[in-house]
Amino acid sequence: TIHMELHNAHGQQATRDIRVKMLEKKGESPWSLITFQSPRDVAGTALLSQGEEQWLYLPAARRVRRISSSIRSGPFVGSEFSYEDLTGDASKYSWKLLATVACGSKQCWQVETRPLFEDSGYTRRVLLVESDTVRIQKIDFYDRKDALLKTLTYRDYQTHRGKFERAHVWEMKNHQNQKSTLLRFADIKFDNGFAESDFSQAKLK
C-alpha cells in the first residue's frame, strides 16, 4: 500500500491512497497494477503496466484506454511522476559509469542512462548508487533541453525476509515548477501467488 502526498509551490497538499500489485518476471520488466483507493474523485482509477505497454482505467468514463508512447512523458494523476517513470526496461537505455564519488560516509557510483527509444521525456538520467549495497540514493532527470527537471530521492531502506531491500519513502521534486510528490510505502508482502492472469485488462475495472 502507498500513501501519496502532492505538494504544490504554495505549500498546499492533497493526498491519495493506493494499492499496488507487482509480478516480477525473470529477464523482463515487472508487470504492475496500480489502483487508487481514495479520495472519492479518483477512487477506482487504475493503471496496468505490462513491461512498456500501459493501459489506464477511468471509472467516470467506464472505459480502458491504452497509454500511447507519445504521452508517456505526461504526469500520472496530477503527480510529479510521469507514466514513463512507472515502467522500466534496462535494455531500452544505454548505461555509462561517470565517476565514483563520496556520498555521506559511503562511496557511490554516478551512472548515466540515456533512452534508446523515441518519445522519452528525458535526454538522460543520472543515478547515484551506493557501491557496497547497490542501493539507489537518488536519480536526477534531465528534460529534452538537457536542463535538470526533477530529482527522485529514496529514503528509509528496510530489509524484508533477510534479503529484499526496499526504500519505503520516495520523494520526487520538480525543480522547474517547485511541486513535489511523496510516496510512503507500507505493508509490503512477497510471494503473493500472483499469475499473469491477475494483470489483464479485465482486472482494471
Side-chain angles (χ1 to χ4, degrees), residues 45-71:
T45 300
L47 177 70
L48 172 67
S49 299
Q50 295 180 354
E52 297 302 307
E53 298 293 318
Q54 293 179 302
W55 295 266
L56 181 69
Y57 174 67
L58 298 172
R62 295 185 179 181
R63 69 184 184 91
V64 175
R65 67 183 180 96
R66 184 176 177 274
I67 304 298
S68 67
S69 59
S70 62
I71 64 171

Side-chain angles (χ1 to χ4, degrees), residues 127-162:
L127 290 71
L128 199 63
V129 184
E130 295 175 2
S131 59
D132 56 348
T133 62
V134 200
R135 299 190 307 196
I136 301 173
Q137 284 197 0
K138 71 171 185 172
I139 305 174
D140 289 327
F141 298 80
Y142 291 81
D143 66 17
R144 290 170 179 165
K145 296 180 180 179
D146 204 31
L148 180 61
L149 174 62
K150 302 185 297 188
T151 297
L152 175 58
T153 304
Y154 297 93
R155 301 197 302 272
D156 190 20
Y157 272 95
Q158 297 180 27
T159 304
H160 296 265
R161 300 181 61 181

Side-chain angles (χ1 to χ4, degrees), residues 31-98:
W31 288 9
S32 65
L33 179 59
I34 300 172
T35 307
F36 283 78
Q37 308 293 306
S38 68
R40 184 176 297 177
D41 61 339
V42 296
T45 300
L47 177 70
L48 172 67
S49 299
Q50 295 180 354
E52 297 302 307
E53 298 293 318
Q54 293 179 302
W55 295 266
L56 181 69
Y57 174 67
L58 298 172
R62 295 185 179 181
R63 69 184 184 91
V64 175
R65 67 183 180 96
R66 184 176 177 274
I67 304 298
S68 67
S69 59
S70 62
I71 64 171
R72 283 186 187 160
S73 60
F76 174 58
V77 195
S79 74
E80 294 311 302
F81 288 85
S82 70
Y83 290 97
E84 181 179 350
D85 298 336
L86 302 176
T87 64
D89 184 341
S91 67
K92 294 186 180 294
Y93 296 84
S94 66
W95 295 78
K96 180 181 180 181
L97 177 62
L98 298 179

